[in-house]
């Protein structure tokens, strides 16, 4: 019975047990004396029942005592407490935020049932040079001939005009084969999706709304089912509404239309515009599916060598649809935030080590006064945990602020819902890291007290430090310097990349150009005459507005419309098979080149005389001439594009159609009216560009009035200055730089604090020695030099591994660097300089303090 | 320097176990088991302090200076394992103040007719 009670006593705090355990055991024994077995059992049961609440209360009272003591000691060391909390908060916060976003984009499974079986399908070229969408014929054949897919569907992105439900509006939609929505496996919130067996016919004029559109345009009215809405002038019946978390294929898509094929859609195998989506049969791996479809493409390549020769299937998991750039960026972010966590831990360790030295005497005194080791350890643990908890709480605040900022890096092209939230697992992990660091290094002083007799600590006095600990602290500072060098160089390289990018000439002058979109709906505008009438009227009236220098229509703005590639054939030359002669094809009205400031090098602009009944002409860019007629006069040359032979009448400057960072195809511009019979709907000019004299608030309303007068049902969308489009090209880069830059600044700050802390501590510990030196005639200058050289030595030591790490990091993120070399000398020099300056700044105060040591005081203090 | 009223009032009201322990010690120094027996006898077996409650209270009373552990006279023949406790002057004052407080409450209750009038 006594043995059981002894065990029970372990629930009490050790100090309590040591003090009263024996008494309590004796008491129990006394009570038990003279009791029968039943009485003893009852006594024991009572003892068990009373131990728990009493032990808890004893623990609570000690905790309260320790917390009060912690509050007192920390308020006496406010600088230390504040720094420790700040360091922890930054470490925990930056980490949690970065990993939350990265996890959201890279790791989190898509919100579809068995999403790991969903794949995207494209045709790739055998030489691995890229991949393309599928043609309807290819899609049909892949679907019919494969043996490894449970289902296959396809979609294409479209934009349609919505009229008859409030303000005319332009919608981003996905037109999809009827099997696609059921294949993904998400049930509609309301109504139904397209019948998978219908081949699209019976659902032809139906539409499924996104939750966002349903809320915005129809007020979330459940009665919307069965209602008819006008899309591109044709009535469509609303048959369903998808749930809010359904964002397939992209977040911007607002509605889904059925996509049906007719026999003639299957004729042209070069007409590739379908993105394939498949669900693998149960147990089929990606590799098996790839092998299966390779058999299919090989057969198709034999049957249609002209169009399908040399193609292979290009399959990847829907999950992996993240661009290389985004992936690298997020990984860089994670790396950077790991660095920050490392720095935070190193700094915290350093702070606590310094404090341990300063407290050795206090603890020795307390031990001498009878505090048991257990009580001291307990007190220190309470202190560390309290610090970590405050720091962690501040860290949560930091990450709450940071996650929305980082969320802007999430590509909008992914089929995932809006915004990442705070990841609690990550938060817990980061908190655990810093907590353990705090605990581990916070306990050092107590271990020292326990490790030797308390009086040694007293005798050693305030000069205790220990060479080993000092070396460890030096190592930590070196590590901090190295990490901040890595971060500084990485963000420096990104700045360089932005500079290079901004210095890139887009090929046009974006300033003072207003753009907006009026996409003419079919079949209302099937007649080319009607379209020309609209363009002529709008352009005539806009050009008549005060302050307008010129105005024109084009198929799509550079950097906005990046596709629209068409193969050309030059008479008398063999058509290359690899499609390497594709051009960016655009239809324009007169004045387009003037409006965008694209120089006309030879010949003329398209003009009003280039109508549908006149000879078909073309204006080409310089690179087109270089490619096809390097040594000849291009004017008057003929080539075939968009089903018609065309004659070159002008040569203009090249434009970065795909964006500042991309390689661009040569450009071919055709007069708007010169389209083949029936027109090319996708190439209808729809973007209006207006070059104006400068800021004028009346311009846009006036243009709106003009368009409304020309066609009241015509929606206007995408109103923005062209300069904004170009700025958007560098916006992601700016976000990248701001992020890494912020992390680098934090790192710099942390290592500055580290160097400062270490030296300040060293000086305070050595003030006795410094005093002796000064008393013996050392000059203040040499004392300051001693402190400075100590700090700079650590900084230089940290530079070496830092530079190596930075080079490795830069090579890893070369995809983000836009041609800037990973070992860019200017960047490295700048980063090294900044780090050295930071180290110097960190040394400054301690050096000053060393110089100001008063020899008399320092000697008397002992 | 005698403690002022405010200092004493800060201890009130006393938890029942604390009050009983002070009452037991007011009658003379006792060791732990002695206290328990005393309390049990005074309350006719109504209150049986557990070991945990007893020593936790003792620890707090020692910290607060309401009781002390007197130095044992050498060769007194007492069991060396047993520690005895003694109420301090402050402890006596606090116990008195608590008694007055309780008496006041009893008077109040009586005035409200909750209790038979005091036999005179």
């Amino acid at each position: 019975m006594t043995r059981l009670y002894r065990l029970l006593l372990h629930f009490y705090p050790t100090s309590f047990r040591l003090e009263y355990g024996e008494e309590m055991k004796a008491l129990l024994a006394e009570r038990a004396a003279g009791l029968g077995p039943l009485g003893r059992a009852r006594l024991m049961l009572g003892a068990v029942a009373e131990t728990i609440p009493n032990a808890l209360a004893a623990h609570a009272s000690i905790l309260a005592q320790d917390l009060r003591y912690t509050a007192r000691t920390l308020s006496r060391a406010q600088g230390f407490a504040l720094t420790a909390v700040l360091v922890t908060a930054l470490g925990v916060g930056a980490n949690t935020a970065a990993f939350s976003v990265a996890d959201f984009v890279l790791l989190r499974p898509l919100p579809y049932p068995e999403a790991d079986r969903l794949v995207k399908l494209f045709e790739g070229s055998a030489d691995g040079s890229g991949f393309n969408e599928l043609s309807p014929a290819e899609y049909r054949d892949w679907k019919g001939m494969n043996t490894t897919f449970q289902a296959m569907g396809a979609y294409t992105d479209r934009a349609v005009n919505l009229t008859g439900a409030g303000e005319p509006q332009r919608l981003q939609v996905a037109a999809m084969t009827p099997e696609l929505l059921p294949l993904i496996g998400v049930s509609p919130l309301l109504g139904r999706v397209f019948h998978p067996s219908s081949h699209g016919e019976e659902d032809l004029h139906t539409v499924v709304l996104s939750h966002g559109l349903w809320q915005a345009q129809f007020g979330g009215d459940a009665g919307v089912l069965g209602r008819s809405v006008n899309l591109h002038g044709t009535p469509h019946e609303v048959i369903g509404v998808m749930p809010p978390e359904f964002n397939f294929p992209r977040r911007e898509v607002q509605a889904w239309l059925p996509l049906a094929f007719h026999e003639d859609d299957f004729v042209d195998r070069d007409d590739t515009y379908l993105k394939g989506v498949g669900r693998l049969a149960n147990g089929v791996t990606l590799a098996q599916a790839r092998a299966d479809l390779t058999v299919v493409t090989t057969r198709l390549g034999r049957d249609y060598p002209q169009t399908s020769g040399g193609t292979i299937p290009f399959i990847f998991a829907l999950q992996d649809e993240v661009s290389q750039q985004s992936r690298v960026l997020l990984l860089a972010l994670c790396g950077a935030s790991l660095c920050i966590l490392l720095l935070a831990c190193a700094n915290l360790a350093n702070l606590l080590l310094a404090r341990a030295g300063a407290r050795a005497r206090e603890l020795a005194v307390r031990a001498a006064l009878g505090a048991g080791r257990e009580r001291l350890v307990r007190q220190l643990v309470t202190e560390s945990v309290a610090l970590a908890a405050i720091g962690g709480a501040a860290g949560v605040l930091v990450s709450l602020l940071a996650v929305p900022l980082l969320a802007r890096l999430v590509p909008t092209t992914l089929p995932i819902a809006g915004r990442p939230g705070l990841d609690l697992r990550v938060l817990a992990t980061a908190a655990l890291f810093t907590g353990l660091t705090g605990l581990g290094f916070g306990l050092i002083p107590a271990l020292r007290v326990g490790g030797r007799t308390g009086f040694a600590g007293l005798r050693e006095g305030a000069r205790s430090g220990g060479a080993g600990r000092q070396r460890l602290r030096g190592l930590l500072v070196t590590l901090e310097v190295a990490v901040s060098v890595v971060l500084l160089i990485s963000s420096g390289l990104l700045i360089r990349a932005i500079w290079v990018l901004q210095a890139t000439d887009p090929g046009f002058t974006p300033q003072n150009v207003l753009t907006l979109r009026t996409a003419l709906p079919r079949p209302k505008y099937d007649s080319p005459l009607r379209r020309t009438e609209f363009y002529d009227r709008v352009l005539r009236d806009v050009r008549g507005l005060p302050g307008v220098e010129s105005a024109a229509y084009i198929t799509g703005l550079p950097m906005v419309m990046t596709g629209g590639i068409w193969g050309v054939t030059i008479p008398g030359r063999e058509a290359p098979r690899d499609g390497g002669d594709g051009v960016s094809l655009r239809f324009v009205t007169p004045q387009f080149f003037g409006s965008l400031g694209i120089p006309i090098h030879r010949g003329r602009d398209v003009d009003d005389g280039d109508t549908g009944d006149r000879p078909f002409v073309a204006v080409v860019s310089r690179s087109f001439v270089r490619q096809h007629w390097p040594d000849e006069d291009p004017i008057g040359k003929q080539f075939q594009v968009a089903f018609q032979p065309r004659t070159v009448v002008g040569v203009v400057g090249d434009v970065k159609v795909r964006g500042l960072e991309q390689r661009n195809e040569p450009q071919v511009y055709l007069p708007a009216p010169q389209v083949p019979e029936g027109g090319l709907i996708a190439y209808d000019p729809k973007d209006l560009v207006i070059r104006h004299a400068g800021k004028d608030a009346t311009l846009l309303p006036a243009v709106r009035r003009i368009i409304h007068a020309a066609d009241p049902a015509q929606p206007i969308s995408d109103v923005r200055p062209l300069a904004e489009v170009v700025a958007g090209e560098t916006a992601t880069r700016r976000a990248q730089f701001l992020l890494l830059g912020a992390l680098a600044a934090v790192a710099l700050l942390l290592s500055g604090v580290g160097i400062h802390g270490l030296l300040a501590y060293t000086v305070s510990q050595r003030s006795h020695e410094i005093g002796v030196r000064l008393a013996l005639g050392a000059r203040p200058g040499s004392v300051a030099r001693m402190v400075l050289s100590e700090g700079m030595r650590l900084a230089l030591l940290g530079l070496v591994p830092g530079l190596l790490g930075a080079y490795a990091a830069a090579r890893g993120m070369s995809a983000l660097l836009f041609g800037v070399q990973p070992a860019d000398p200017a960047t490295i020099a700048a980063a090294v300089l900044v780090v050295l300056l930071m180290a110097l700044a960190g040394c400054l105060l301690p050096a000053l303090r060393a110089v100001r040591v008063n020899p008399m005081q320092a000697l008397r203090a002992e | 320097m005698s403690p002022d009223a405010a200092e004493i009032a800060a201890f009130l009201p006393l938890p029942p176990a604390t009050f009983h322990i002070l009452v037991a010690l007011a009658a003379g120094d006792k060791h732990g088991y002695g206290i328990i027996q005393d309390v049990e006898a005074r309350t006719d077996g109504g209150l049986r302090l557990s070991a945990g409650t007893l020593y936790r209270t003792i620890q707090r009373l020692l910290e607060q200076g309401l009781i002390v552990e007197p130095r044992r006279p050498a060769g007194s023949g007492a069991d060396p394992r047993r520690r005895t406790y003694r109420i301090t002057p402050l402890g006596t004052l606090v116990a008195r103040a608590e008694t007055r407080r309780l008496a006041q409450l009893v008077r109040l209750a009586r005035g409200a007719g909750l209790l038979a009038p005091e036999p005179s």
Side-chain angles (χ1 to χ4, degrees):
Chain A
M1 187 163 110
T2 334
R3 215 171 325 140
L4 181 59
Y5 194 62
R6 198 193 314 252
L7 277 178
L8 268 181
L9 285 177
H10 275 90
F11 282 106
Y12 287 99
T14 315
S15 56
F16 185 88
R17 192 176 66 240
L18 292 177
E19 189 76 25
Y20 299 111
E22 283 304 313
E23 295 254 320
M24 291 167 80
K25 265 187 292 190
L27 208 150
L28 192 82
E30 244 165 308
R31 270 191 178 171
L35 283 178
L38 200 69
R40 280 168 181 245
R42 198 181 295 153
L43 183 66
M44 204 54 225
L45 241 99
V48 172
E50 64 108 0
T51 297
I52 312 246
N54 273 317
L56 278 178
H59 278 290
S61 92
I62 289 191
L63 181 65
Q65 208 176 52
D66 285 351
L67 282 178
R68 275 197 301 276
Y69 188 79
T70 299
R72 267 205 309 279
T73 44
L74 290 185
S75 70
R76 253 183 282 137
Q78 278 175 5
F80 161 78
L82 213 68
T83 320
V85 165
L86 196 73
V87 161
T88 313
L90 282 175
V92 172
N95 240 279
T96 310
F99 275 103
S100 297
V101 173
D103 172 73
F104 180 73
V105 175
L106 296 180
L107 304 177
R108 181 165 304 190
L110 296 169
Y112 312 130
E114 291 181 68
D116 52 326
R117 282 167 56 201
L118 292 176
V119 297
K120 277 209 140 178
L121 305 164
F122 292 94
E123 61 156 56
S125 44
D127 58 6
S129 61
F131 60 95
N132 247 321
E133 276 89 1
L134 306 174
S135 66
E138 245 169 338
Y139 163 67
R140 178 197 58 191
D141 296 343
W142 285 24
K143 188 174 154 74
M145 293 158 76
N146 83 77
T147 57
T148 48
F149 285 81
Q150 181 187 313
M152 212 184 261
Y155 70 92
T156 181
D157 295 305
R158 274 190 195 157
V160 297
N161 295 343
L162 170 72
T163 49
E167 187 86 345
Q169 208 194 339
R170 186 142 179 89
L171 296 184
Q172 295 295 323
V173 302
M176 35 183 52
T177 58
E179 49 278 82
L180 189 47
L181 281 175
L183 175 160
I184 293 168
V186 176
S187 321
L189 187 69
L190 286 179
R192 61 173 181 93
V193 294
F194 314 117
H195 288 303
S197 57
S198 66
H199 299 290
E201 277 99 8
E202 74 182 72
D203 285 331
L204 202 54
H205 293 293
T206 60
V207 58
V208 175
L209 305 180
S210 72
H211 190 265
L213 182 68
W214 178 53
Q215 290 290 335
Q217 205 76 12
F218 303 95
D221 174 17
V224 74
L225 294 182
R227 243 177 91 172
S228 178
V229 295
N230 233 328
L231 295 177
H232 255 343
T234 323
H236 283 67
E237 185 194 339
V238 177
I239 58 164
V241 175
M242 294 307 281
E245 64 276 5
F246 186 73
N247 292 280
F248 185 89
R250 283 172 297 123
R251 218 190 296 166
E252 291 113 343
V253 167
Q254 294 162 292
W256 296 272
L257 296 175
L259 178 66
F261 302 116
H262 302 288
E263 264 321 300
D264 44 343
D265 287 325
F266 296 121
V267 174
D268 184 2
R269 285 187 171 262
D270 257 346
D271 191 11
T272 58
Y273 60 93
L274 290 176
K275 299 179 177 82
V277 179
R279 184 177 276 282
L280 299 177
N282 229 335
V284 170
T285 65
L286 208 57
Q288 287 167 336
R290 198 169 284 141
D292 174 35
L293 282 183
T294 306
V295 174
V296 173
T297 50
T298 312
R299 253 179 70 190
L300 292 176
R302 258 203 320 271
D303 294 349
Y304 310 96
Q306 264 301 310
T307 53
S308 302
T311 59
I312 55 165
F314 192 87
I315 313 179
F316 54 87
L318 196 58
Q319 189 88 61
D320 295 337
E321 194 182 23
V322 180
S323 79
Q324 182 61 17
Q325 272 210 357
S326 300
R327 191 181 291 269
V328 170
L329 178 65
L330 287 166
L331 289 177
L333 197 64
C334 289
S337 58
L338 262 188
C339 284
I340 296 281
L341 186 61
L342 199 65
L343 271 177
C345 285
N347 240 328
L348 198 61
N350 239 335
L351 277 168
L352 291 167
L353 278 173
R355 200 166 148 70
R359 291 187 80 175
R361 191 170 184 159
E362 173 210 331
L363 294 176
V365 169
R366 289 182 66 189
L369 289 179
R373 179 180 172 188
E374 174 269 342
R375 278 300 285 120
L376 291 181
V377 169
R378 199 182 159 123
Q379 160 64 32
L380 288 169
V381 168
T382 306
E383 215 172 288
S384 305
V385 170
L387 266 182
I390 301 172
V396 173
L397 283 183
V398 170
S399 48
L400 278 178
L401 289 176
V403 164
L405 289 178
L406 297 192
R408 285 198 231 151
L409 297 183
V410 178
T412 55
T413 51
L414 294 181
I416 46 180
R419 338 204 106 258
L422 203 59
D423 195 311
L424 291 178
R425 290 166 302 160
V426 180
L427 185 69
T429 315
L432 189 73
F433 261 102
T434 42
L436 284 180
T437 309
L439 215 57
F441 288 86
L443 278 178
I444 284 180
L447 298 181
R448 271 167 55 88
V449 167
R452 56 172 98 173
T453 56
F455 294 110
L458 274 177
R459 258 200 309 276
E460 200 177 325
R463 262 177 298 132
S464 66
R469 181 130 42 88
Q470 196 66 4
R471 257 202 307 283
L472 176 57
R473 299 196 56 205
L475 195 71
L476 286 172
V477 168
T478 311
L479 178 77
E480 290 176 25
V481 172
V483 169
S484 35
V485 168
V486 172
L487 285 182
L488 266 181
I489 291 186
S490 306
S491 46
L493 288 172
L494 277 181
I495 303 181
R496 289 272 297 164
I498 294 173
W499 277 348
V500 171
L501 206 62
Q502 276 174 341
T504 309
D505 180 12
F508 55 90
T509 321
Q511 285 75 31
N512 288 343
V513 177
L514 179 70
T515 75
L516 52 85
R517 176 168 295 181
T518 57
L520 301 181
R522 303 296 186 98
K524 182 175 173 186
Y525 280 95
D526 267 347
S527 139
L529 221 64
R530 206 155 167 202
R531 293 200 298 274
T532 310
E533 215 175 287
F534 178 85
Y535 297 138
D536 284 350
R537 175 164 177 186
V538 169
L539 288 176
R540 185 195 65 216
D541 292 350
V542 168
R543 285 168 190 157
L545 289 173
V548 170
E549 292 165 13
S550 60
Y553 262 101
I554 181 170
T555 304
L557 293 174
M559 298 181 187
V560 176
M561 180 178 181
T562 53
I565 309 300
W566 202 296
V568 299
T569 39
I570 312 283
R573 295 192 200 172
E574 204 180 327
R577 239 249 25 98
D578 58 2
D581 55 351
V583 297
S584 280
L585 186 69
R586 301 289 183 269
F587 286 85
V588 296
T589 66
Q591 289 194 7
F592 171 72
F593 304 109
S595 297
L596 252 65
I598 301 172
I600 300 179
H601 292 294
R602 306 269 325 256
R604 63 169 177 90
D605 192 355
V606 299
D607 61 34
D608 291 328
D610 296 322
T611 51
D613 48 4
R614 303 271 305 174
F616 279 20
V617 299
V619 174
V620 300
S621 75
R622 266 182 161 176
S623 59
F624 186 79
V625 176
R626 260 199 310 279
Q627 187 180 345
H628 297 291
W629 305 287
D631 306 312
E632 297 169 66
D633 182 3
I635 303 293
K637 294 279 189 215
Q638 280 218 332
F639 65 98
Q640 171 112 10
V641 74
F643 309 120
Q644 311 277 345
R646 318 261 171 177
T647 307
V648 177
V649 294
V651 179
V652 294
D654 271 281
V655 165
K656 298 270 185 196
V657 178
R658 282 183 184 269
L660 292 175
E661 295 180 58
Q662 269 74 34
R663 264 214 320 247
N664 294 288
E665 287 88 359
Q667 296 104 53
V668 169
Y669 303 92
L670 307 177
Q674 296 190 338
V675 284
E677 199 65 34
L680 298 162
I681 301 178
Y683 286 88
D684 275 353
K686 55 185 177 296
D687 283 324
L688 176 60
V689 292
I690 306 168
R691 177 163 291 278
H692 53 88
K695 264 201 166 12
D696 183 359
T698 63
L699 178 61
L700 183 59
V703 174
R704 279 187 189 278
R705 270 196 302 278
I706 288 169
I707 291 167
H708 191 75
D711 181 350
Q714 178 58 44
I716 299 172
S717 66
D718 302 78
V719 180
R720 55 183 165 176
L722 190 58
E724 198 176 277
V725 173
V726 180
E729 277 287 296
T730 50
T732 25
R733 293 223 155 248
R734 242 176 252 132
Q736 291 167 13
F737 155 69
L738 280 179
L739 263 172
L740 267 190
L743 290 179
V746 169
L748 200 64
L749 192 74
L750 285 178
S751 48
V753 168
I755 288 187
H756 170 84
L758 179 68
L759 292 177
Y761 172 72
T762 313
V763 168
S764 77
Q765 296 300 291
R766 287 169 67 180
S767 64
H768 179 76
E769 175 208 327
I770 293 172
V772 171
R773 281 172 188 253
L774 287 172
L776 290 179
R779 272 208 296 275
S782 71
V783 170
R785 219 169 14 254
M786 182 181 82
V787 175
L788 279 181
S789 69
E790 163 88 11
M792 297 316 276
R793 191 175 57 85
L794 292 177
L796 289 173
L797 272 178
L799 273 180
V800 179
L803 285 174
L804 290 177
Y807 185 69
R811 292 207 20 168
M813 52 183 235
S814 59
L816 296 176
L817 293 184
F818 190 54
V820 174
Q821 286 307 307
D824 182 57
T827 310
I828 290 175
V832 167
L833 193 70
V834 170
V835 167
L836 290 181
L837 280 177
M838 178 273 303
L840 205 61
C843 296
L844 223 52
L845 273 181
L848 272 179
R849 208 175 303 152
V851 171
R852 293 224 186 103
V853 166
N854 181 334
M856 294 311 289
Q857 244 168 33
L859 294 176
R860 221 180 289 136
E862 280 301 295
Chain B
M1 195 181 72
S2 73
D4 57 27
E7 199 178 323
I8 291 169
F11 287 103
L12 306 185
L14 291 176
T18 309
F19 185 62
H20 280 293
I21 291 171
L22 286 179
V23 169
L25 288 178
D29 298 358
K30 286 185 184 59
H31 51 67
Y33 191 50
I35 296 175
I36 290 183
Q37 284 175 320
D38 189 86
V39 171
E40 208 175 324
R42 269 173 218 281
T43 58
D44 293 333
L47 179 63
R48 257 189 131 175
L49 289 176
S50 70
T53 310
L54 174 70
Y55 283 103
R56 239 174 20 80
T57 313
I58 284 179
Q59 188 189 32
R60 202 179 54 243
L61 287 171
L62 283 169
E63 279 168 14
Q64 292 173 336
L66 300 188
I67 62 172
V68 288
E69 210 176 315
R71 198 180 289 265
R72 225 168 309 209
S76 64
D79 185 347
R81 277 185 319 165
R82 284 208 170 157
R83 295 147 87 169
T84 51
Y85 302 97
R86 171 181 299 165
I87 193 163
T88 62
L90 176 64
T92 312
L93 288 175
V94 170
R96 266 195 206 132
E98 176 72 358
T99 312
R100 271 197 299 276
R101 191 183 70 84
L102 292 172
Q104 176 94 23
L105 287 178
V106 172
R107 262 200 306 282
L108 277 174
R110 205 162 258 150
L114 283 170
L115 213 63
E118 204 165 355
S120 47

